[in-house]
Amino acid sequence: MIRLGAGRRLDRIVAVGAHCDDIAIGAGGTLLAMCLARPGLRVDALVLSGGGSEREQEERAALAAFCPDAELGLTVLKLPDGRMPAHWEEAKGAVEELRMRTEPDLVLAPRTDDAHQDHRGLAQLMTTAFRDHLVLGYEIVKWDGDLGRPSAYQPLSPEVAEQKVRLLQEHYPSQRHRPWYDREAFLGLARIRGIECHARYAEAFATTKLTLNLGN
């Protein structure tokens, strides 16, 4: 098993989501683990929708909690939910602007095979804008049943997994009515992914391209 980060310091992270709460659901445990281990980590986050609404307020409070002691920069746009393909140029411009101002060691984004058109469209933009970076595609459980076979795992301690669930419930009250938005769903998926990588809990990711440097 290849362990990314062993012997290599990760100082700058990019995290993107189509909607407020996508980043926290898909990679909140990973962000928590990294920020707790590396105080002062730089996290540049971009969310395409929810700007100017209560969702943006939720997102700002949530990501501040998921990135403790980090240097966090967050941009929340106002693209309409579910209509990202129709606003391709605006989304592309936002991603390209993000790329111009940061040189990350790691990119957290949706999966390119996500069934939701907003997630999938953003994922496709990320792999073209960040061509020479490691892009990990996080997963979001939903009614589409699109969970696949991930290729990368971040083990989570029980404490981090529990904290992730607590923060999701605490910071996104607008989502609590959704039938899939509960403790069992989040911890259940994390437990399954943990089994797959010999850990108690984990978050899992897809990789579209990975460049190795095994000679050093």
Side-chain angles (χ1 to χ4, degrees):
M1 180 181 294
I2 298 174
R3 296 189 179 274
L4 175 69
R8 177 186 174 189
R9 185 172 179 85
L10 303 179
D11 295 316
R12 299 183 67 91
I13 308 300
V14 158
V16 299
H19 316 100
C20 296
D21 78 14
D22 284 356
I23 296 171
I25 292 174
T30 297
L31 284 174
L32 267 173
M34 294 182 67
C35 290
L36 289 171
R38 300 175 179 85
L41 186 72
R42 174 69 189 183
V43 179
D44 290 294
L46 169 67
V47 179
L48 296 183
S49 64
S53 70
E54 66 169 349
R55 299 281 278 136
E56 179 178 356
Q57 298 174 19
E58 289 179 345
E59 186 76 340
R60 292 193 178 279
L63 288 190
F66 275 102
C67 302
D69 298 319
E71 183 184 348
L72 174 64
L74 170 62
T75 300
V76 183
L77 302 183
K78 298 181 179 181
L79 273 65
D81 187 354
R83 299 291 185 270
M84 202 283 278
H87 296 264
W88 184 262
E89 288 301 322
E90 187 175 352
K92 182 178 180 181
V95 169
E96 290 177 344
E97 190 277 332
L98 174 64
R99 173 66 188 93
M100 289 177 62
R101 60 183 169 85
T102 185
E103 186 64 45
D105 302 302
L106 173 65
V107 178
L108 301 171
R111 297 178 297 125
T112 55
D113 58 350
D114 193 295
H116 194 297
Q117 67 270 19
D118 291 356
H119 300 172
R120 187 171 61 252
L122 176 57
Q124 292 166 352
L125 286 172
M126 297 304 294
T127 54
T128 56
F130 292 85
R131 297 188 178 188
D132 297 319
H133 302 79
L134 176 60
V135 180
L136 296 182
Y138 56 72
E139 56 185 357
I140 297 178
V141 64
K142 59 180 93 59
W143 71 270
D144 304 83
D146 64 349
L147 298 180
R149 298 184 64 181
S151 52
Y153 296 84
Q154 170 59 49
L156 304 178
S157 69
E159 294 78 16
V160 168
E162 290 282 356
Q163 186 176 1
K164 172 186 175 177
V165 174
R166 179 179 61 79
L167 292 177
L168 285 171
Q169 294 290 343
E170 176 182 343
H171 287 288
Y172 296 104
S174 67
Q175 303 304 296
R176 293 175 190 158
H177 69 283
R178 299 185 181 276
W180 55 267
Y181 197 93
D182 60 29
R183 171 185 171 83
E184 289 179 300
F186 298 134
L187 272 186
L189 180 58
R191 180 69 186 108
I192 290 171
R193 296 317 190 195
I195 291 171
E196 293 173 349
C197 68
H198 301 289
R200 182 64 185 174
Y201 297 106
E203 286 178 339
F205 304 89
T207 56
T208 55
K209 184 169 62 176
L210 176 64
T211 300
L212 301 176
N213 185 7
L214 302 179
N216 292 336

mmCIF file of all heavy atoms in Angstrom, residues 137-156:
data_model
loop_
_atom_site.group_PDB
_atom_site.id
_atom_site.type_symbol
_atom_site.label_atom_id
_atom_site.label_comp_id
_atom_site.label_asym_id
_atom_site.label_seq_id
_atom_site.Cartn_x
_atom_site.Cartn_y
_atom_site.Cartn_z
ATOM 1 N N GLY A 137 -10.674 12.509 -5.839
ATOM 2 C CA GLY A 137 -12.110 12.709 -6.000
ATOM 3 C C GLY A 137 -12.888 12.085 -4.853
ATOM 4 O O GLY A 137 -12.913 10.863 -4.706
ATOM 5 N N TYR A 138 -13.511 12.912 -4.021
ATOM 6 C CA TYR A 138 -14.247 12.388 -2.873
ATOM 7 C C TYR A 138 -15.623 11.877 -3.293
ATOM 8 O O TYR A 138 -16.118 12.157 -4.387
ATOM 9 C CB TYR A 138 -14.359 13.455 -1.775
ATOM 10 C CG TYR A 138 -14.981 14.765 -2.172
ATOM 11 C CD1 TYR A 138 -16.344 14.891 -2.422
ATOM 12 C CD2 TYR A 138 -14.192 15.927 -2.275
ATOM 13 C CE1 TYR A 138 -16.912 16.109 -2.771
ATOM 14 C CE2 TYR A 138 -14.752 17.151 -2.616
ATOM 15 C CZ TYR A 138 -16.112 17.229 -2.859
ATOM 16 O OH TYR A 138 -16.679 18.439 -3.213
ATOM 17 N N GLU A 139 -16.239 11.114 -2.409
ATOM 18 C CA GLU A 139 -17.539 10.507 -2.699
ATOM 19 C C GLU A 139 -18.610 11.055 -1.758
ATOM 20 O O GLU A 139 -18.349 11.370 -0.600
ATOM 21 C CB GLU A 139 -17.463 8.983 -2.581
ATOM 22 C CG GLU A 139 -16.961 8.481 -1.243
ATOM 23 C CD GLU A 139 -16.793 6.975 -1.221
ATOM 24 O OE1 GLU A 139 -17.116 6.312 -2.224
ATOM 25 O OE2 GLU A 139 -16.340 6.454 -0.186
ATOM 26 N N ILE A 140 -19.835 11.176 -2.295
ATOM 27 C CA ILE A 140 -20.984 11.638 -1.531
ATOM 28 C C ILE A 140 -22.115 10.638 -1.736
ATOM 29 O O ILE A 140 -22.564 10.429 -2.860
ATOM 30 C CB ILE A 140 -21.426 13.048 -1.964
ATOM 31 C CG1 ILE A 140 -20.316 14.060 -1.687
ATOM 32 C CG2 ILE A 140 -22.710 13.455 -1.250
ATOM 33 C CD1 ILE A 140 -20.639 15.477 -2.131
ATOM 34 N N VAL A 141 -22.555 10.019 -0.650
ATOM 35 C CA VAL A 141 -23.633 9.044 -0.748
ATOM 36 C C VAL A 141 -24.933 9.754 -1.118
ATOM 37 O O VAL A 141 -25.221 10.846 -0.644
ATOM 38 C CB VAL A 141 -23.774 8.266 0.579
ATOM 39 C CG1 VAL A 141 -24.181 9.176 1.720
ATOM 40 C CG2 VAL A 141 -24.726 7.102 0.427
ATOM 41 N N LYS A 142 -25.709 9.154 -2.006
ATOM 42 C CA LYS A 142 -26.957 9.749 -2.457
ATOM 43 C C LYS A 142 -27.857 8.670 -3.050
ATOM 44 O O LYS A 142 -27.436 7.521 -3.215
ATOM 45 C CB LYS A 142 -26.689 10.866 -3.472
ATOM 46 C CG LYS A 142 -25.944 10.408 -4.706
ATOM 47 C CD LYS A 142 -25.703 11.541 -5.686
ATOM 48 C CE LYS A 142 -24.391 12.238 -5.517
ATOM 49 N NZ LYS A 142 -23.220 11.348 -5.665
ATOM 50 N N TRP A 143 -29.072 9.051 -3.402
ATOM 51 C CA TRP A 143 -30.047 8.068 -3.877
ATOM 52 C C TRP A 143 -29.667 7.454 -5.210
ATOM 53 O O TRP A 143 -30.147 6.370 -5.576
ATOM 54 C CB TRP A 143 -31.431 8.708 -3.970
ATOM 55 C CG TRP A 143 -31.570 9.710 -5.090
ATOM 56 C CD1 TRP A 143 -31.323 11.040 -5.023
ATOM 57 C CD2 TRP A 143 -31.968 9.450 -6.437
ATOM 58 N NE1 TRP A 143 -31.526 11.640 -6.246
ATOM 59 C CE2 TRP A 143 -31.940 10.677 -7.135
ATOM 60 C CE3 TRP A 143 -32.363 8.301 -7.118
ATOM 61 C CZ2 TRP A 143 -32.268 10.792 -8.473
ATOM 62 C CZ3 TRP A 143 -32.691 8.418 -8.466
ATOM 63 C CH2 TRP A 143 -32.649 9.652 -9.126
ATOM 64 N N ASP A 144 -28.779 8.095 -5.977
ATOM 65 C CA ASP A 144 -28.384 7.581 -7.296
ATOM 66 C C ASP A 144 -27.691 6.223 -7.217
ATOM 67 O O ASP A 144 -27.650 5.494 -8.207
ATOM 68 C CB ASP A 144 -27.438 8.570 -7.985
ATOM 69 C CG ASP A 144 -28.038 9.951 -8.105
ATOM 70 O OD1 ASP A 144 -27.962 10.713 -7.127
ATOM 71 O OD2 ASP A 144 -28.586 10.270 -9.167
ATOM 72 N N GLY A 145 -27.127 5.903 -6.064
ATOM 73 C CA GLY A 145 -26.402 4.640 -5.939
ATOM 74 C C GLY A 145 -25.163 4.592 -6.799
ATOM 75 O O GLY A 145 -24.903 3.596 -7.482
ATOM 76 N N ASP A 146 -24.366 5.685 -6.770
ATOM 77 C CA ASP A 146 -23.220 5.781 -7.675
ATOM 78 C C ASP A 146 -21.879 5.499 -7.003
ATOM 79 O O ASP A 146 -20.828 5.769 -7.575
ATOM 80 C CB ASP A 146 -23.190 7.173 -8.322
ATOM 81 C CG ASP A 146 -22.959 8.290 -7.302
ATOM 82 O OD1 ASP A 146 -23.034 8.024 -6.085
ATOM 83 O OD2 ASP A 146 -22.718 9.438 -7.720
ATOM 84 N N LEU A 147 -21.900 4.978 -5.790
ATOM 85 C CA LEU A 147 -20.634 4.675 -5.131
ATOM 86 C C LEU A 147 -19.922 3.554 -5.875
ATOM 87 O O LEU A 147 -20.524 2.542 -6.237
ATOM 88 C CB LEU A 147 -20.870 4.273 -3.671
ATOM 89 C CG LEU A 147 -21.503 5.349 -2.773
ATOM 90 C CD1 LEU A 147 -21.674 4.807 -1.356
ATOM 91 C CD2 LEU A 147 -20.667 6.620 -2.763
ATOM 92 N N GLY A 148 -18.630 3.743 -6.110
ATOM 93 C CA GLY A 148 -17.882 2.764 -6.879
ATOM 94 C C GLY A 148 -16.791 2.106 -6.068
ATOM 95 O O GLY A 148 -16.928 1.901 -4.856
ATOM 96 N N ARG A 149 -15.708 1.768 -6.742
ATOM 97 C CA ARG A 149 -14.550 1.136 -6.103
ATOM 98 C C ARG A 149 -13.431 2.161 -6.022
ATOM 99 O O ARG A 149 -12.752 2.431 -7.017
ATOM 100 C CB ARG A 149 -14.099 -0.084 -6.904
ATOM 101 C CG ARG A 149 -15.158 -1.180 -6.989
ATOM 102 C CD ARG A 149 -14.624 -2.404 -7.705
ATOM 103 N NE ARG A 149 -13.519 -3.010 -6.973
ATOM 104 C CZ ARG A 149 -12.852 -4.088 -7.406
ATOM 105 N NH1 ARG A 149 -13.183 -4.639 -8.571
ATOM 106 N NH2 ARG A 149 -11.869 -4.591 -6.697
ATOM 107 N N PRO A 150 -13.231 2.764 -4.857
ATOM 108 C CA PRO A 150 -12.215 3.807 -4.728
ATOM 109 C C PRO A 150 -10.806 3.251 -4.844
ATOM 110 O O PRO A 150 -10.578 2.047 -4.666
ATOM 111 C CB PRO A 150 -12.480 4.378 -3.331
ATOM 112 C CG PRO A 150 -13.164 3.280 -2.594
ATOM 113 C CD PRO A 150 -13.971 2.525 -3.606
ATOM 114 N N SER A 151 -9.875 4.140 -5.141
ATOM 115 C CA SER A 151 -8.486 3.725 -5.322
ATOM 116 C C SER A 151 -7.543 4.340 -4.298
ATOM 117 O O SER A 151 -6.352 4.023 -4.294
ATOM 118 C CB SER A 151 -8.016 4.107 -6.734
ATOM 119 O OG SER A 151 -8.263 5.479 -6.993
ATOM 120 N N ALA A 152 -8.050 5.202 -3.431
ATOM 121 C CA ALA A 152 -7.203 5.832 -2.417
ATOM 122 C C ALA A 152 -8.012 5.979 -1.135
ATOM 123 O O ALA A 152 -9.221 6.216 -1.167
ATOM 124 C CB ALA A 152 -6.707 7.196 -2.894
ATOM 125 N N TYR A 153 -7.325 5.846 -0.013
ATOM 126 C CA TYR A 153 -7.993 5.882 1.280
ATOM 127 C C TYR A 153 -7.228 6.758 2.264
ATOM 128 O O TYR A 153 -5.992 6.756 2.267
ATOM 129 C CB TYR A 153 -8.095 4.480 1.884
ATOM 130 C CG TYR A 153 -8.935 3.521 1.081
ATOM 131 C CD1 TYR A 153 -8.392 2.817 0.014
ATOM 132 C CD2 TYR A 153 -10.279 3.306 1.395
ATOM 133 C CE1 TYR A 153 -9.153 1.927 -0.726
ATOM 134 C CE2 TYR A 153 -11.049 2.422 0.663
ATOM 135 C CZ TYR A 153 -10.483 1.734 -0.401
ATOM 136 O OH TYR A 153 -11.244 0.868 -1.125
ATOM 137 N N GLN A 154 -7.970 7.465 3.098
ATOM 138 C CA GLN A 154 -7.402 8.186 4.225
ATOM 139 C C GLN A 154 -8.022 7.609 5.499
ATOM 140 O O GLN A 154 -9.183 7.877 5.805
ATOM 141 C CB GLN A 154 -7.697 9.684 4.147
ATOM 142 C CG GLN A 154 -7.334 10.458 5.417
ATOM 143 C CD GLN A 154 -5.867 10.348 5.794
ATOM 144 O OE1 GLN A 154 -4.997 10.542 4.942
ATOM 145 N NE2 GLN A 154 -5.576 10.027 7.051
ATOM 146 N N PRO A 155 -7.280 6.778 6.247
ATOM 147 C CA PRO A 155 -7.827 6.261 7.504
ATOM 148 C C PRO A 155 -8.143 7.401 8.468
ATOM 149 O O PRO A 155 -7.441 8.410 8.517
ATOM 150 C CB PRO A 155 -6.689 5.382 8.046
ATOM 151 C CG PRO A 155 -5.887 5.011 6.838
ATOM 152 C CD PRO A 155 -5.950 6.218 5.940
ATOM 153 N N LEU A 156 -9.215 7.217 9.221
ATOM 154 C CA LEU A 156 -9.634 8.197 10.224
ATOM 155 C C LEU A 156 -9.676 7.521 11.583
ATOM 156 O O LEU A 156 -10.218 6.413 11.717
ATOM 157 C CB LEU A 156 -11.022 8.753 9.893
ATOM 158 C CG LEU A 156 -11.233 9.394 8.527
ATOM 159 C CD1 LEU A 156 -12.690 9.824 8.378
ATOM 160 C CD2 LEU A 156 -10.299 10.579 8.331
#
